[in-house]
């Protein structure tokens, strides 16, 4: 029993030992398990940490990558912006250029429009100015011609006045010749003072116009005729123009040949020169024309023959031409041109001298010899038959030799003016 008890105790001890061993092994295993678990946990934690680190690094990398991407995007955007800005700048530049071009075109068009407007306005203003100039120059020409007619009819030229006074002084005291010259002088003063015609016969209106190129002659004539009509209405001219067929007098001094207007273009002239002469019927009636040779007078085709026929004309005129008179003579030409030139000689001043020495000598001889004939003023006898003689010359045909003589009375009415560009009187010639 004891053995059994011992055996059982041994069995119990062994079993307990086994149990203890099992427990210890269990403990160990549990410990080991715990350790391994801890290790595993540590590993896991380490792995987690590594994973965390990895995730961190990956997240960092991702962040970095994101940042890079964002930077790239920003860079792309910036480049896009730059591109867009550059392109937009280019576009804006192009647009600006286009705008500037458009502005330039607009400016040009506006300039053109302004220029057109300016040209149209300037053309309008110029046309208005031309019209006003035409109106003003037309009015000025009318006023000028009216004044020229008035002055010619009422005021004797200074060179004629001088010679008249010399003739008055030359006549003997208390003679009919002196009496006649005193009446002439008194008439000259009164006509000037009252601005009335020097003679009741205001004569034919002879107008000689010398002008530069470009003068509208028809317009000049029209305005001159209007001035003559108004001068007649004002009493500066007598109603003196009669229709040769009907004998009718319109009372305006206008008709075929009235006024007797002559134009001469001179390209060298810058101004218009107008000479006006009033030649009465009494002195016109004693004008003469001779054809040389003249066997009755013994006048040949030379200057001596010319002298003889001129003196014959003076002798025949006596006092019928309202002497003392002035002669205008033309040697040569035909019958028409000779008479015209003889009248043009009367436009010369009495104190001038002929440029041709032979003609100068002839003029002086004619005056001297005529005043020795004793015809005198108005044919009343005396020392003054002629106040002057002016001789011109024209070419002639071999078959013809005419001497044309125009006689001007003591009322030697001729005046002349120079006009300015506006048709006003610039200066008086005489």
């Amino acid at each position: 029993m004891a053995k059994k008890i011992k055996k059982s105790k041994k069995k119990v001890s062994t079993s307990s030992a086994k149990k203890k061993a099992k427990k210890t092994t269990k403990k160990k295993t549990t410990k080991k398990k715990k350790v391994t678990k801890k290790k595993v946990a540590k590993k896991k934690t380490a792995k987690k940490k590594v994973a965390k680190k990895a995730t961190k690094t990956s997240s960092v990398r991702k962040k970095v990558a994101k940042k890079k991407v964002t930077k790239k995007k920003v860079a792309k955007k910036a480049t896009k912006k730059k591109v867009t800005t550059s392109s937009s700048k280019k576009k804006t530049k192009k647009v600006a250029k286009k705008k500037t071009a458009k502005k330039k075109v607009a400016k040009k068009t506006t300039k053109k429009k302004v220029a057109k407007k300016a040209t149209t306005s300037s053309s309008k203003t110029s046309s208005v100015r031309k019209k006003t100039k035409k109106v003003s120059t037309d009015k000025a020409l009318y006023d000028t011609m009216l004044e020229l007619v008035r002055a010619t009819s009422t005021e004797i030229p200074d060179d004629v006045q001088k010679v008249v006074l010399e003739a008055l002084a030359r006549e003997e005291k208390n003679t009919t010749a002196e009496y006649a010259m005193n009446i002439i002088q008194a008439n000259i003063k009164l006509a000037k003072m009252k601005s009335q015609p020097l003679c009741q016969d205001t004569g034919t209106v002879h107008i000689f116009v010398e002008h530069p190129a470009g003068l509208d002659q028809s317009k000049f004539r029209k305005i001159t005729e209007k001035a003559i009509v108004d001068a007649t209405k004002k009493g500066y001219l007598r109603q003196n123009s009669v229709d040769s067929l009907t004998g009718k007098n319109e009372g305006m001094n206008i008709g075929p040949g009235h006024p007797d207007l002559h134009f001469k273009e001179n390209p060298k002239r810058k101004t218009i020169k107008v000479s006006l002469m009033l030649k009465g019927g009494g002195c016109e009636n004693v004008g003469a024309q001779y054809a040389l040779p003249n066997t009755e007078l013994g006048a040949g085709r030379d200057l001596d023959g010319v002298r003889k026929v001129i003196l014959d004309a003076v002798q025949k005129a006596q006092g019928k031409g309202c002497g003392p008179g002035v002669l205008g003579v033309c040697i040569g030409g035909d019958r028409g041109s000779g008479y015209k030139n003889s009248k043009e000689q009367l436009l010369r001043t009495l104190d001038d001298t002929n440029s041709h020495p032979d003609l100068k000598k002839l003029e002086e001889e004619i005056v001297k010899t005529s005043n020795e004939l004793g015809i005198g003023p108005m044919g009343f006898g005396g020392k003054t038959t002629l106040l002057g003689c002016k001789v011109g010359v024209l070419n002639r045909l071999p078959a013809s030799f005419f001497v044309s003589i125009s006689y001007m009375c003591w009322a030697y009415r001729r005046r002349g003016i120079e006009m300015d560009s506006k048709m006003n009187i610039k200066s008086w010639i005489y």
Side-chain angles (χ1 to χ4, degrees):
M1 268 302 278
K3 277 182 184 185
K4 280 181 183 182
I5 295 163
K6 280 181 182 184
K7 276 182 183 183
S8 59
K9 280 181 182 182
K10 277 182 184 183
K11 281 180 183 180
V12 170
S13 62
T14 50
S15 59
S16 61
K18 282 180 182 178
K19 284 180 181 178
K20 282 179 182 181
K22 278 181 182 181
K23 283 180 182 180
T24 51
T25 50
K26 275 182 183 180
K27 282 179 182 180
K28 282 179 183 181
T29 51
T30 51
K31 277 181 182 181
K32 279 181 182 178
K33 280 181 181 178
K34 283 178 182 180
V35 171
T36 52
K37 279 182 182 178
K38 281 180 181 179
K39 283 181 181 179
V40 169
K42 279 181 181 180
K43 281 180 181 180
K44 280 181 180 179
T45 52
K47 280 181 180 178
K48 281 180 181 178
K49 283 179 180 179
V50 171
K52 277 182 181 180
K53 281 181 181 181
T55 51
K56 279 181 182 180
T57 51
S58 63
S59 62
V60 168
R61 281 176 185 172
K62 281 180 181 178
K63 282 179 182 179
V64 170
K66 277 183 181 179
K67 281 180 180 180
K68 283 181 179 179
V69 169
T70 51
K71 279 182 181 179
K72 281 181 181 179
K73 283 180 180 179
V74 170
K76 277 183 181 179
K77 281 181 181 179
T79 51
K80 278 182 181 180
K81 278 182 182 180
K82 282 180 182 178
V83 170
T84 52
T85 51
S86 62
S87 62
S88 62
K89 279 180 182 178
K90 284 179 181 178
K91 282 180 182 178
T92 50
K93 279 182 181 179
K94 283 180 181 178
V95 170
K97 279 182 180 178
K98 282 181 181 178
K99 281 181 180 179
T100 51
K102 280 181 181 178
K103 281 180 182 179
K104 282 180 181 178
V105 170
K107 278 182 181 179
K108 281 181 181 178
T109 51
T110 49
K111 278 182 181 178
K112 282 180 181 178
K113 283 178 182 178
V114 169
K116 277 184 181 179
K117 282 181 182 178
T119 50
T120 50
S121 61
S122 64
S123 63
K124 281 179 183 177
T125 50
S126 63
S127 62
V128 169
R129 281 177 187 171
K130 281 179 182 178
K131 282 180 183 178
T132 52
K133 272 186 180 179
K134 280 181 181 179
V135 170
S136 61
T137 53
D138 290 356
K139 179 66 168 60
L141 178 59
Y142 166 81
D143 291 338
T144 296
M145 293 308 295
L146 182 62
E147 174 57 20
L148 181 59
V149 172
R150 185 205 67 79
T152 307
S153 180
T154 62
E155 299 173 15
I156 210 159
D158 291 340
D159 61 301
V160 178
Q161 175 66 83
K162 179 175 175 288
V163 176
V164 166
L165 290 173
E166 288 172 357
L168 176 60
R170 186 167 52 245
E171 294 299 334
E172 292 180 7
K173 301 293 181 185
N174 301 318
T175 60
T176 309
E178 186 197 31
Y179 177 73
M181 291 305 298
N182 275 323
I183 291 174
I184 288 169
Q185 180 56 30
N187 191 80
I188 290 169
K189 284 183 178 179
L190 195 63
K192 186 175 182 180
M193 184 179 70
K194 291 190 171 184
S195 194
Q196 290 180 349
L198 279 158
C199 178
Q200 63 175 351
D201 182 4
T202 55
T204 302
V205 181
H206 298 280
I207 303 171
F208 301 87
V209 183
E210 189 177 349
H211 61 87
L215 178 69
D216 189 341
Q217 294 182 0
S218 59
K219 182 177 167 184
F220 192 100
R221 179 183 287 276
K222 189 176 180 181
I223 293 169
T224 300
E225 286 177 352
K226 186 178 185 302
I228 288 168
V229 169
D230 290 347
T232 307
K233 289 177 181 177
K234 289 176 183 290
Y236 303 142
L237 298 174
R238 190 175 73 174
Q239 297 172 348
N240 234 17
S241 181
V242 178
D243 188 307
S244 297
L245 296 178
T246 64
K248 188 177 180 180
N249 189 336
E250 296 289 344
M252 294 298 166
N253 280 317
I254 299 296
H258 282 196
D260 179 38
L261 188 55
H262 303 273
F263 291 99
K264 181 182 177 182
E265 185 177 305
N266 185 353
K268 292 181 180 179
R269 286 198 68 85
K270 292 183 179 178
T271 58
I272 299 170
K273 176 185 174 183
V274 183
S275 299
L276 191 146
M277 180 169 63
L278 300 177
K279 196 168 187 302
C283 63
E284 185 67 16
N285 288 340
V286 296
Q289 191 173 68
Y290 295 83
L292 297 181
N294 187 308
T295 55
E296 187 181 343
L297 297 173
R301 290 186 167 188
D302 53 23
L303 285 180
D304 185 57
V306 171
R307 184 182 65 81
K308 285 179 180 177
V309 295
I310 294 171
L311 290 173
D312 184 65
V314 174
Q315 182 67 36
K316 286 178 178 177
Q318 291 294 309
K320 292 180 284 186
C322 297
V326 180
L327 300 183
V329 180
C330 176
I331 303 168
D334 61 18
R335 288 192 182 274
S337 62
Y339 262 130
K340 180 176 176 288
N341 186 265
S342 70
K343 283 185 171 66
E344 287 175 349
Q345 296 306 310
L346 296 171
L347 298 175
R348 292 166 54 190
T349 57
L350 290 175
D351 54 2
D352 77 350
T353 54
N354 203 310
S355 59
H356 195 289
D358 292 338
L359 296 182
K360 177 178 179 283
K361 186 181 177 182
L362 178 63
E363 289 173 355
E364 291 169 352
E365 283 181 359
I366 293 296
V367 173
K368 184 177 180 293
T369 307
S370 295
N371 288 338
E372 291 171 351
L373 293 175
I375 298 170
M378 302 292 180
F380 295 145
K383 297 179 180 179
T384 310
T385 301
L386 287 184
L387 298 174
C389 178
K390 302 298 173 183
V391 182
V393 62
L394 293 176
N395 280 14
R396 60 177 178 83
L397 295 173
S400 303
F401 197 122
F402 295 107
V403 179
S404 305
I405 302 162
S406 288
Y407 191 104
M408 174 62 80
C409 63
W410 68 263
Y412 190 178
R413 294 157 292 178
R414 58 117 166 90
R415 302 296 294 244
I417 55 168
E418 292 274 357
M419 292 183 185
D420 60 19
S421 58
K422 294 178 181 178
M423 298 294 184
N424 294 312
I425 297 171
K426 184 181 180 182
S427 61
W428 288 88
I429 301 167
Y430 34 66

